[in-house]
Amino acid sequence: MKDQAIQLTDEQMQDFIINGYITLKTDFPQSFHDNIFQHLETMFEHTGNLGNNVLPLIPEIQQVFDHPVIDGAMQGVLGENYMMHPHRYCHFNPQGSGGQGFHKDSYEGDEQIRRHKCRWTMAFYYPQDVPEDRGPTAVLPGSQYYETSESAHEQPDLSLCGEAGTVTIVHYDLWHRATPNQSDKKRYMLKFLFSRLDEPNAPSWQSKTDDWHSVENSVEPDHPELWEAQWDWYYGKQSGDANGVPSAEVDNLVENLQDEDEKIRLNAAYRLGRVGEAAVPALNQALHGTSDSVRNYAGHALSLTGSPAVPTLIDALQIEDNSVRATAAYALADMGKAAAEAIPALTSAAQDESPLVRRHAIEGLGIIGQQLNGDTDFEQTVQVSIEGLRDEHYWVRYNAARTLAKLGPLSEPAMPHLIAQLEDENRYVRFHAALALKEIDTAEAREVLFNHLLSTRWCALTTRDTPY
């Protein structure tokens, strides 16, 4: 059983929104981390890197993520009902290595979809001391919102040094790398993934104010509307709640969506999102333009606009251009509960000929449906998610299973199909089918899940030298 979580403060949450990471320290004795380090040494010597099976091999690692400081921080950035993703990996940085270049990770089991809202994190755990010369992981603070390497590299290069027991939680899209190991010692870093199941409806940290501007910080306001939009989302405020930018700015802002500087484009999109209904016609025109980049920024703006943009986005789901339909489905999904009236349209889009449209629509049905909490009829949503479980693209199946998990008990009619997906060819679809059964939480679902987990349990103590 976990101890009481130690919650983040407003200042820590604001810093995470701006910089995309938070570094924490567990208080286990040195011997605890030494033991994990030695287990890793043995793993590499006898079997090599076991990847996802590093946790069942060394179950003590779970104690790190159950620590009240780490659990509290993870609740703050992902909500109380967050989940540990089945992908994890031990990153080995040997003596004399040259390090890596900065990059964003791909999404395990899913199509590479970037979101500004923090629905996924990574946690980097050091089981040994990592000073500057031992090849720490480095990040580019604030770069989680940037797609281009040019913008990301305008940010400072920060090495995440720390003693054994240091854990850094990062927004999944933060640019990062392994730095050169110039020491004569090995460096291990255990990377674990986590994701959000429930959309926020209230802060899940020690909050004292819902006003972004009342929290003191010394950071230059590079992206004021973007940062405040993330803060408002964490507070459960609906898209469109905080409009107020003068409509006279629309023409200039739309022009800025095409600026060569990514940061200017980003700021223009979020400022347009705060104009409200008056900006929708211009954003609709940008959505249907020929530039994929402008279209994506228009999608962010329309999503932030909220309910006044929903009819426009529903209409866009009927357009012949696959990119327009995909962006519209993405924007509606990201909007959350404010897009409730789009559920029938997203249900149809979940059967679209484009797999990317299907992926976004199915994810949106889960995000929106979880927030509505059974206040509407989800029979069709469950049905199209069942169909999604049979999709030829594993990342559509993956999102169909996640949506059924988010809908929880409403997904009970999908149980036979989820049971079948416990044998899916993709490991992450299998996991999310199991997760959906857990969230359905009936006696039958629990029995199926327990039987499956007991029969597929991997024994860390069994080797060729100790077969029984």
Side-chain angles (χ1 to χ4, degrees):
M1 181 178 293
K2 295 180 182 179
D3 292 331
Q4 183 69 35
I6 299 174
Q7 295 184 322
L8 297 179
T9 64
D10 283 335
E11 289 76 15
Q12 287 174 307
M13 276 301 300
Q14 190 175 79
D15 188 74
F16 180 83
I17 288 171
I18 293 171
N19 291 309
Y21 75 96
I22 181 170
T23 298
L24 307 152
K25 180 71 165 63
T26 61
D27 60 0
F28 295 109
Q30 182 65 42
S31 59
F32 174 87
H33 306 295
D34 289 344
N35 181 54
I36 291 176
F37 183 91
Q38 189 54 55
H39 276 303
L40 293 172
E41 290 271 74
T42 302
M43 177 185 76
F44 274 90
E45 179 181 354
H46 292 287
T47 63
N49 197 335
L50 289 180
N52 291 355
N53 279 329
V54 70
L55 182 59
L57 178 69
I58 315 172
E60 295 92 335
I61 296 168
Q62 184 66 51
Q63 296 179 48
V64 174
F65 299 111
D66 286 344
H67 189 282
V69 168
I70 309 304
D71 182 38
M74 206 67 77
Q75 288 186 32
V77 299
L78 289 178
E80 294 180 6
N81 193 27
Y82 69 90
M83 50 150 281
M84 179 185 282
H85 192 277
H87 175 71
R88 65 282 306 224
Y89 196 76
C90 179
H91 285 270
F92 173 48
N93 197 1
Q95 310 94 310
S97 79
Q100 299 174 308
F102 277 104
H103 62 280
K104 293 188 177 195
D105 278 13
S106 58
Y107 281 71
E108 295 300 334
D110 198 5
E111 186 72 353
Q112 190 159 304
I113 306 302
R114 306 298 179 187
R115 291 201 182 277
H116 297 158
K117 293 171 180 172
C118 186
R119 295 192 175 100
W120 286 57
T121 64
M122 293 183 285
F124 304 148
Y125 158 59
Y126 292 151
Q128 76 285 295
D129 294 348
V130 184
E132 184 74 45
D133 67 345
R134 200 170 177 175
T137 299
V139 298
L140 298 175
S143 62
Q144 69 271 25
Y145 303 119
Y146 303 146
E147 290 299 314
T148 66
S149 175
E150 292 78 12
S151 295
H153 279 87
E154 290 179 9
Q155 303 302 105
D157 183 337
L158 177 69
S159 292
L160 300 174
C161 301
E163 298 176 342
T166 297
V167 176
T168 300
I169 298 171
V170 305
H171 186 298
Y172 198 86
D173 290 344
L174 192 70
W175 290 74
H176 63 282
R177 70 173 181 132
T179 61
N181 186 348
Q182 299 171 330
S183 75
D184 58 358
K185 299 177 181 178
K186 302 173 183 177
R187 186 277 272 166
Y188 294 119
M189 183 274 280
L190 289 164
K191 181 188 77 175
F192 276 61
L193 274 56
F194 297 83
S195 65
R196 171 183 289 277
L197 274 184
D198 296 345
E199 291 294 289
N201 54 35
S204 50
W205 66 91
Q206 190 178 350
S207 174
K208 294 182 179 179
T209 177
D210 67 349
D211 181 6
W212 168 266
H213 301 284
S214 68
V215 183
E216 294 185 8
N217 71 72
S218 58
V219 179
E220 288 294 321
D222 292 339
H223 302 296
E225 281 85 14
L226 166 60
W227 294 342
E228 188 173 357
Q230 309 314 309
W231 176 268
D232 288 345
W233 173 69
Y234 270 118
Y235 266 87
K237 297 179 182 178
Q238 295 302 303
S239 295
D241 282 355
N243 296 330
V245 172
S247 58
E249 295 186 30
V250 169
D251 290 344
N252 286 337
L253 290 172
V254 170
E255 185 176 343
N256 285 344
L257 291 180
Q258 305 176 58
D259 197 278
E260 293 183 359
D261 188 331
E262 181 181 10
K263 296 181 179 180
I264 292 176
R265 299 197 299 271
L266 195 56
N267 283 341
Y270 275 86
R271 195 156 176 81
L272 278 164
R274 290 187 177 275
V275 170
E277 188 172 4
V280 171
L283 288 171
N284 185 43
Q285 187 174 355
L287 180 70
H288 291 76
T290 58
S291 167
D292 288 338
S293 175
V294 172
R295 181 181 299 110
N296 290 339
Y297 285 110
H300 285 301
L302 287 164
S303 181
L304 183 59
T305 299
S307 55
V310 171
T312 292
L313 291 168
I314 290 175
D315 288 345
L317 288 175
Q318 312 305 318
I319 297 300
E320 184 176 352
D321 189 310
N322 288 354
S323 297
V324 174
R325 298 200 311 280
T327 303
Y330 174 103
L332 287 166
D334 205 47
M335 194 183 296
K337 188 177 180 179
E341 69 175 281
I343 286 178
L346 288 172
T347 301
S348 296
Q351 303 166 79
D352 193 274
E353 65 180 23
S354 164
L356 199 55
V357 176
R358 297 199 299 274
R359 180 241 174 265
H360 293 331
I362 287 175
E363 182 187 45
L365 290 170
I367 290 173
I368 299 167
Q370 180 272 318
Q371 290 181 291
L372 295 178
N373 196 27
D375 290 344
T376 187
D377 183 4
F378 277 93
E379 182 178 349
Q380 282 190 298
T381 298
V382 172
Q383 185 57 46
V384 297
S385 298
I386 290 171
E387 294 172 15
L389 291 175
R390 298 190 288 263
D391 199 278
E392 63 178 306
H393 297 277
Y394 68 84
W395 34 274
V396 176
R397 301 197 301 275
Y398 172 101
N399 278 282
R402 277 182 65 86
T403 282
L404 290 167
K406 290 179 178 182
L407 295 178
L410 296 174
S411 298
E412 186 175 0
M415 274 188 53
H417 309 277
L418 290 167
I419 292 169
Q421 295 314 117
L422 292 174
E423 305 300 330
D424 193 277
E425 64 182 9
N426 181 275
R427 69 192 76 182
Y428 302 115
V429 175
R430 292 185 181 199
F431 171 83
H432 282 88
L435 178 67
L437 290 169
K438 173 180 177 291
E439 295 299 311
I440 290 172
D441 198 32
T442 62
E444 183 183 359
R446 288 193 295 272
E447 182 179 5
V448 168
L449 185 57
F450 286 147
N451 289 340
H452 172 73
L453 294 177
L454 288 171
S455 65
T456 58
R457 174 180 174 270
W458 186 73
C459 178
L461 300 180
T462 301
T463 68
R464 61 185 177 187
D465 298 324
T466 60
Y468 51 85

